């Protein structure tokens, strides 16, 4: 990677942190956020086997930070063209009490990570999470601010063709979904809420957008409830 950056004249814009052993995403994310990213920077999370859907993806997100938002995420699409499931969060309800719809492309202000303990990225046995880091990190940061925004544009491609992924190793899709849902529920419920105080001036300036997000999230909740009812009837 260092050689590639030098070849394209970008050596001064990249920091490659080699790991002699596999550490998994949670440990690597904590290392990057605490030792290699400045307090005033914006962080975008991109898995190594995924890619941005458009060259101007970051430019599309940038105005939201100019307008004062702390966490911004976008819609995504699978590499097999399956639709993503990111969506609006209800601004006045804890993210822990809502479906996890804030995955890709997930970005945030680095300063939000101040005060986040290692335990938030570890399991109940004190081991760094080997899966579910996206959920653990997003929920922890989202609950610290009401200044969060969803951009309903596909800016991220999730790689479903990686032979190392679980769904390419003979794991049934239903098993994979159930496993991820169980992990998400566990991660959401195990940490205490630490909601920050609301910036009243910011809230007033973005009230229309917040109300729109609340309405869209209510519709999502209704669709989920209807789907569960239908599934229960069929079973």
């Amino acid at each position: 990677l260092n050689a590639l950056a030098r070849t394209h004249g970008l050596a001064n814009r990249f920091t490659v942190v080699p790991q002699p052993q596999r550490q998994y995403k949670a440990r690597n994310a904590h290392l990057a956020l605490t030792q290699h990213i400045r307090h005033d920077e914006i962080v975008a999370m991109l898995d190594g086997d995924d890619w941005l859907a458009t060259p101007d993806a970051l430019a599309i997100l940038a105005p939201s930070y100019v307008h004062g938002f702390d966490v911004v995420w976008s819609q995504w699409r699978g590499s097999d063209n399956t639709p993503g499931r990111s969506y609006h969060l209800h601004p006045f309800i804890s993210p822990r009490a809502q479906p996890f719809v804030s995955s890709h492309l997930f970005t945030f202000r680095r300063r939000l990570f101040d005060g986040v303990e290692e335990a938030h990225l570890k399991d109940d046995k004190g081991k760094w999470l080997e899966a579910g880091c996206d959920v653990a990190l997003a929920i922890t940061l989202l609950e610290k601010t009401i200044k969060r925004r969803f951009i309903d544009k596909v800016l991220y491609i999730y790689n479903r063709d990686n032979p190392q992924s679980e769904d390419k190793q003979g794991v049934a899709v239903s098993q994979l979904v159930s496993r991820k849902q169980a992990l998400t529920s566990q991660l959401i419920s195990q940490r205490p809420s630490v909601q920050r105080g609301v910036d009243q001036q910011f809230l007033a300036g973005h009230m229309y957008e917040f109300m729109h997000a609340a309405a869209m999230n209510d519709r999502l909740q209704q669709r989920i409830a209807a789907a569960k009812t239908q599934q229960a009837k069929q079973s």
Side-chain angles (χ1 to χ4, degrees):
L1 290 176
N2 280 320
L4 183 64
R6 288 194 298 271
T7 299
H8 292 276
L10 300 173
N12 62 335
R13 299 182 61 186
F14 286 85
T15 299
V16 179
V17 184
Q19 294 280 33
Q21 296 180 332
R22 188 176 185 183
Q23 299 290 326
Y24 295 99
K25 185 174 180 177
R27 178 68 184 94
N28 290 329
H30 187 273
L31 175 66
L33 289 168
T34 55
Q35 298 186 27
H36 298 283
I37 300 175
R38 296 197 310 269
H39 178 83
D40 60 343
E41 291 186 312
I42 306 297
V43 180
M45 305 289 288
L46 178 70
D47 286 354
D49 61 336
D50 300 337
W51 58 93
L52 298 179
T54 172
D56 62 346
L58 299 182
I60 291 173
L61 296 178
S64 295
Y65 288 101
V66 174
H67 292 135
F69 285 89
D70 291 330
V71 182
V72 186
W73 67 99
S74 76
Q75 189 56 271
W76 56 277
R77 185 176 67 247
S79 57
D80 57 356
N81 224 27
T82 52
R85 296 183 298 276
S86 290
Y87 206 64
H88 298 274
L89 276 177
H90 197 298
F92 309 122
I93 298 176
S94 169
R96 297 182 186 276
Q98 304 181 58
F100 182 65
V101 291
S102 53
S103 51
H104 308 304
L105 175 66
F106 187 76
T107 69
F108 57 94
R109 294 186 190 275
R110 160 61 185 84
R111 60 177 172 77
L112 279 184
F113 197 73
D114 289 347
V116 173
E117 299 177 0
E118 290 185 3
H120 286 262
L121 296 179
K122 293 182 177 181
D123 61 22
D124 54 3
K125 297 180 180 179
K127 184 179 179 181
W128 291 101
L129 292 170
E130 296 183 4
C133 173
D134 291 342
V135 180
L137 184 61
I139 294 297
T140 299
L141 298 177
L142 285 165
E143 70 178 359
K144 296 182 71 173
T145 179
I146 197 175
K147 301 177 181 180
R148 47 197 191 224
R149 170 185 272 181
F150 168 60
I151 304 295
D152 196 8
K153 294 182 179 180
V154 174
L155 302 181
Y156 189 103
I157 303 299
Y158 177 76
N159 187 3
R160 294 194 183 280
D161 301 311
N162 185 346
Q164 299 299 316
S165 64
E166 289 179 292
D167 51 346
K168 292 298 180 181
Q169 295 181 19
V171 179
V173 173
S174 59
Q175 289 179 289
L176 186 61
V177 171
S178 296
R179 184 184 303 172
K180 289 184 176 179
Q181 287 177 339
L183 177 61
T184 298
S185 298
Q186 176 186 348
L187 290 170
I188 288 175
S189 63
Q190 70 183 3
R191 308 301 182 197
S193 178
V194 289
Q195 182 77 38
R196 283 184 177 181
V198 177
D199 183 331
Q200 297 293 340
Q201 184 175 357
F202 184 87
L203 179 63
H206 295 85
M207 181 57 70
Y208 176 80
E209 179 172 356
F210 284 141
M211 296 306 294
H212 174 74
M216 292 297 99
N217 187 268
D218 284 341
R219 291 185 185 181
L220 174 66
Q221 300 275 21
Q222 292 170 11
R223 290 200 299 269
I224 292 174
K228 289 182 178 178
T229 300
Q230 184 64 25
Q231 185 178 20
K233 289 181 179 178
Q234 292 176 349
S235 60

